[in-house]
Each structure stands twice: as structure tokens, then as C-alpha cells.
């Protein structure tokens, strides 16, 4: 846990946790909620008061991890993130690009990885996207699609660790296809026995340095609750070494 998270808690600086806050229009009690479409809706109709259940659980889990390390976190909804501030911060994005819009903006600032979200049209239940595998390895699917064959029983999530905009900063992207997948992925990173399997495959070096990496998790769901998660595929960011500068939190 300390090998992975200490870089986000160096010194007295707080990491910034950015949770998804999708731009909806409509009303949950009458018309229902719909994603904002600039070709159909007016910006004055935007509603920014909703986030997913999984994102709520994820923020709670992260807060507990940093509390145990003697640190606090700054929490922002996606719509309030300013890149002038973000460029000097350690960033943790919670939620996929369908609902956490700064993740889409980040894709314009950072090259795309080996795994990426692709919108699923039409939506199947709560499945609005799939995760595409650019170069499948032996035994890996080209697309991680939780909507088939049994929607509601499986989800997928993407975890991606990147260098930050400053030399000693980190960016962590954690997003599921559904809100339950997001919850499962963050909880995976907050449980020592689960994180150990990922850290091993992500090459945390003996001198404390960690490489950028990507990981797809397969999540088993039961009545909308994530029950079990496993690593489905990983990629290491060869050459993108990021030193853990502050070891004091160990």
C-alpha cells in the first residue's frame, strides 16, 4: 500500500481527487435524466447535481486510505477542475470518460494508452461503453464488454497510472464502464491483498521506483454490488519511471 500510494501523499500537499459529475439535463422525478447534447439542449438546462453510487463509495475508500497515512485529500467534482491548479497537483480521477469529462480533456494532453473506452450505442442497460484492447495478447479479448452475454453480472474497469505534469507528480485514472465498476476498481487499489497482485505485475522496483502502467479489471456483480475483481490484462509503461520521492509515509 505504501509503495503505491506514498507518491500521492508526499510532504504536506494534498492529492486532488476528481469525481465524475456528468452533465445531465432533465429531472430525476419527472422527465428523467439524459446526457447533455449540444445539438439538442441549451446549456442553461444543464444539471450538475448527480454522481454515481460507486463514485461516492470510492471517495470514502480513498479518504480512509489517506487518513491511515496521516494525510487528507481535496475532493472536486469534474466540472470544477481547473487545469492551472491541476498541473501542479497529484491527481486521482474517479469515473470513466463518459461521465468524468476532464478525463476526455486529459486524453488531449496525454497520449492514448493500450486500453481505452469506446461509447456503446445504443446503451445496454447501464452499459454506456466498452473497453477496447488495441493489441490483444494471447488469451485476451479485443473488447472488454460487460453488456454481454448477461448484462448486470459483469463489469470492467480501467486503471491507468501516468506521470503528472510536473516531474514529481502522478496522475491516476480509475473508471469503470458502470458506476459499480468504478467502485470495485478503487476498492481494489485500497485493499492490500488485492493491490499486491497488481503491484507485482506493474513492476514496483526494489529501489522504490514505480513504472507507469495500465490495467483492466473484470468485476463480478451481484444485485448491482461488486463482489469480486480480478486482473484481466496489464501493460507496463516501459521507460516511464516515476520515483517515489517521499518515503517518510512508510
Amino acid at each position: 500500500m505504501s509503495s503505491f500510494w506514498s507518491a500521492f501523499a508526499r510532504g504536506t500537499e494534498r492529492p486532488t481527487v476528481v469525481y465524475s459529475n456528468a452533465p445531465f439535463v432533465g429531472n430525476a422525478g419527472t422527465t428523467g435524466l439524459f446526457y447533455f447534447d449540444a445539438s439538442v439542449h441549451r446549456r442553461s438546462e444543464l444539471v450538475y447535481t448527480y454522481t454515481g453510487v460507486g463514485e461516492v463509495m470510492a471517495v470514502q475508500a480513498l479518504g480512509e486510505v489517506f487518513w491511515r497515512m496521516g494525510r487528507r485529500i481535496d475532493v472536486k467534482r469534474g466540472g470544477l477542475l481547473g487545469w492551472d491548479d491541476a498541473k501542479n497537483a497529484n491527481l486521482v480521477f474517479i469515473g470513466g470518460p463518459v461521465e468524468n469529462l476532464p478525463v476526455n480533456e486529459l486524453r488531449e494532453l496525454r497520449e492514448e494508452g493500450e486500453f481505452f473506452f469506446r461509447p456503446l450505442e445504443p446503451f445496454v442497460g447501464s452499459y454506456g461503453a466498452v473497453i477496447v484492447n488495441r493489441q490483444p495478447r494471447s488469451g485476451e479479448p479485443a473488447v472488454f464488454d460487460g453488456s454481454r452475454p448477461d448484462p448486470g453480472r459483469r463489469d470492467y474497469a480501467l486503471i491507468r497510472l501516468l506521470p503528472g505534469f510536473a516531474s514529481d507528480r502522478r496522475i491516476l485514472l480509475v473508471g469503470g464502464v458502470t458506476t459499480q465498476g468504478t467502485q470495485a476498481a478503487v476498492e481494489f487499489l485500497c485493499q492490500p491483498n488485492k493491490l499486491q497482485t497488481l503491484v507485482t505485475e506493474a513492476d514496483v522496483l526494489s529501489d522504490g521506483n514505480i513504472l507507469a502502467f495500465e490495467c483492466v479489471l473484470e468485476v463480478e456483480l451481484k444485485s448491482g454490488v461488486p463482489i469480486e475483481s480480478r486482473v484481466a490484462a496489464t501493460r507496463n509503461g516501459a521507460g516511464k519511471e516515476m520515483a517515489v520521492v517521499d518515503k517518510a509515509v512508510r
Side-chain angles (χ1 to χ4, degrees):
M1 292 287 287
S2 62
S3 294
F4 187 85
W5 288 113
S6 61
F8 288 89
R10 58 184 304 269
T12 59
E13 300 165 359
R14 299 181 185 180
T16 299
V17 176
V18 185
Y19 67 89
S20 62
N21 182 223
F24 286 124
V25 296
N27 183 287
T30 55
T31 63
L33 294 171
F34 305 91
Y35 286 118
F36 174 77
D37 183 344
S39 66
V40 177
H41 307 118
R42 299 186 303 273
R43 297 198 66 82
S44 60
E45 298 179 82
L46 280 167
V47 179
Y48 286 108
T49 54
Y50 295 93
T51 192
V53 172
E55 281 72 16
V56 173
M57 301 299 291
V59 170
Q60 188 275 333
L62 279 178
E64 183 173 341
V65 165
F66 282 97
W67 175 77
R68 290 178 177 176
M69 298 172 67
R71 299 291 189 269
R72 300 177 65 182
I73 59 177
D74 287 333
V75 181
K76 290 182 179 289
R77 62 178 174 89
L80 294 181
L81 179 68
W83 290 106
D84 283 345
D85 295 327
K87 67 182 181 182
N88 293 316
N90 288 306
L91 301 170
V92 180
F93 291 91
I94 298 178
V98 174
E99 295 197 353
N100 201 341
L101 298 187
V103 175
N104 283 320
E105 296 175 4
L106 183 65
R107 291 167 62 185
E108 299 175 2
L109 302 173
R110 283 285 190 270
E111 66 179 63
E112 192 68 87
E114 290 299 310
F115 307 108
F116 65 94
F117 286 88
R118 184 180 70 197
L120 184 64
E121 297 179 356
F123 280 32
V124 179
S126 59
Y127 296 90
V130 295
I131 297 176
V132 176
N133 188 349
R134 288 186 189 276
Q135 301 183 52
R137 295 177 179 175
S138 177
E140 295 179 353
V143 176
F144 297 94
D145 185 357
S147 69
R148 293 180 290 183
D150 298 312
R153 298 186 62 180
R154 181 177 292 104
D155 194 10
Y156 290 96
L158 178 60
I159 301 170
R160 191 176 182 207
L161 180 65
L162 300 165
F165 295 108
S167 60
D168 59 346
R169 297 295 187 267
R170 310 289 186 276
I171 298 173
L172 180 65
L173 307 177
V174 189
V177 171
T178 73
T179 188
Q180 290 86 7
T182 297
Q183 175 185 346
V186 173
E187 290 178 346
F188 189 96
L189 295 174
C190 294
Q191 298 172 5
N193 60 326
K194 295 289 189 181
L195 184 58
Q196 178 61 42
T197 62
L198 179 58
V199 164
T200 300
E201 295 190 41
D203 287 343
V204 173
L205 307 180
S206 59
D207 61 0
N209 293 331
I210 186 171
L211 296 176
F213 73 91
E214 300 170 84
C215 169
V216 176
L217 293 183
E218 182 178 74
V219 181
E220 178 185 347
L221 303 174
K222 182 71 173 179
S223 300
V225 177
I227 301 299
E228 185 59 50
S229 305
R230 70 172 187 88
V231 175
T234 61
R235 299 290 187 272
N236 294 331
K240 298 178 181 179
E241 187 176 284
M242 297 179 289
V244 177
V245 178
D246 186 355
K247 308 266 181 75
V249 294
R250 295 181 179 220

